[in-house]
Amino acid sequence: MVLSGYEALFFWIFALAAIFAALLTVMARNAVHSALFLISSLVSVAALFVLSGAEFIAGVQILVYVGGVMVLFLFVIMLVNVGAEEMGREEIFNKQKQVTASLIFCLLLVGGVLYAVSQGYPALQAAQTNKRTPEKMAADQAERDRSLAVGATGTSRITADTELVGGSLYRYASLPFEIASVLLLVAIIGSVMLARTLKQEVSADDVDPETLQEELALDPELAKLEPRVE
Amino acid sequence: MLNFFIPILAFLFQEQSWLMRAADAAKRPDLSKFLVIGALLFIIGVAGVLTRRNIIVIFMSIELILNAANLNFIAFSRYLQDNGSANAVAGQLFAVFVIVVAAAEAAIGLGIVIALYRNKETIWVDEIDLLKW
């Protein structure tokens, strides 16, 4: 795969945006700022997905991550973050030793990955069966784009990516797809169970009897909530 | 002063110097550039998980790590597409499942955060040491 022309320009813009936003996510003092920087990082990565021809995944990324998961994060920050900003001012990172250790570990990882990519990628190119120049690959890509249907405005083409992904999803991965739906159901029920308050647990008659006695001693009002068997 | 810098600049910008080759390669980002970006995002995420104390920011760093993995899947998917592989969208399928698992993980994790906050009144991971003896 080779990007050229404006695609290359946009690749570098969005790649740098993704990395800087990710750095700011980790370094921001306020958790809300972290969440907003993470959103911009995710959107930049979605743009990289579009550049590599995965329009469907880019759309899913925006809808699920930015529209769903990050809104959930912001809600939880709102529920939980009492006075966190003031506490965060003294030190946002852990002890000095741990920061040093993690930075050394990260630098080792960077070095290892860069070495592996620089060593492995030429070998991958050498092992390719059909050798094509970057110009030929770009021309092939343009050829494939021309074969797509023209959109209603006549200026753009309709991608076949969604169709391809949908077809393959049901053809090759229908069992994992069903398992994923069960996983999501479990996640929904689990998060509702985890986030219940004590009152809700008592009214659902879901508290250990000994614990219930202790809690009743603290708060007699709870007895009214307890469901009675008539 | 000028006499000192001109040979250095000439050396850096001559035809076969590493700088010119790097600039030439930057005009045509290929698979390896995507992999490097993915690796950098992954490492930033790891650094966040290891160094931050706020449990919500740690969750966000985990999302960054999963997203970096997705970027690699998509880049390899495109690479296989260009080289005429039979099932080239397998990488995109896997990315869908990674996103599903990330969403489930975020929902459960944030549920745990809320339950923990209710019981311990804190979101700083160094104060949550119930299992430390």
Side-chain angles (χ1 to χ4, degrees), chain A residues 1-4 8 11-12 15 18-19 22-23 25-29 31 34-35 38 41-42 45 48-49 51-54 57 60-61 64-65 69 72-73 76-77 79-82 84 87 91-94 102 106 109-110 113-114 117 121 124 128 130 132 134-135 141 144 161 164-165 168-169 172-173 176-177 180 183-184 187 190-191 194-197, chain B residues 25-37 39-54 56-57 59-61 63-64 66-67 70-72 74-76 78-79 81-84 86-87 89-90 92-93 95-115 117-118 122-127:
Chain A
M1 68 184 291
V2 172
L3 305 177
S4 54
F11 170 80
W12 287 113
I19 285 176
L23 271 177
T25 306
V26 171
M27 297 196 312
R29 284 177 184 277
S34 266
L38 182 57
S41 180
L42 293 174
V45 172
L48 292 182
F49 289 172
L51 284 178
S52 40
I57 308 294
V60 169
Q61 166 111 343
V64 173
Y65 262 117
V69 173
L72 190 64
F73 267 103
V76 172
I77 291 169
L79 284 176
V80 153
N81 219 11
V82 184
M87 279 187 73
E91 52 173 329
I92 57 168
F93 294 118
N94 260 334
S102 81
C106 289
L109 264 174
V110 171
V113 164
L114 291 184
V117 169
Y121 190 63
L124 186 66
Q128 250 171 51
N130 51 346
R132 291 179 299 169
E135 290 78 15
Q141 183 63 36
R144 249 177 301 171
D161 175 65
L164 264 175
V165 173
S168 310
L169 192 60
Y172 303 111
F177 184 78
L183 176 72
L184 283 175
S191 54
L194 280 170
R196 281 186 309 177
T197 59
Chain B
K27 280 181 205 155
R28 304 183 175 288
D30 52 7
L31 175 65
S32 65
K33 304 292 180 299
F34 275 88
L35 297 190
V36 169
I37 302 296
L40 288 175
L41 284 178
F42 178 86
I43 286 157
I44 292 168
V46 171
V49 170
L50 291 180
T51 56
R52 288 305 297 257
R53 302 164 65 221
N54 188 331
I56 297 173
V57 179
F59 267 115
M60 288 193 229
S61 304
E63 301 292 327
L64 264 183
L66 292 169
N67 213 41
N70 264 351
L71 188 59
N72 274 19
I74 300 294
F76 274 112
R78 168 73 185 267
Y79 177 81
Q81 238 167 336
D82 282 356
N83 289 288
N87 188 8
V89 286
Q92 298 187 26
L93 294 189
V96 170
F97 289 119
V98 171
I99 289 176
V100 167
V101 172
E105 175 252 331
I108 291 291
L110 293 173
I112 292 174
V113 170
I114 288 180
Y117 185 73
R118 227 171 245 146
T122 181
I123 51 166
W124 305 100
V125 283
D126 47 0
E127 290 166 19

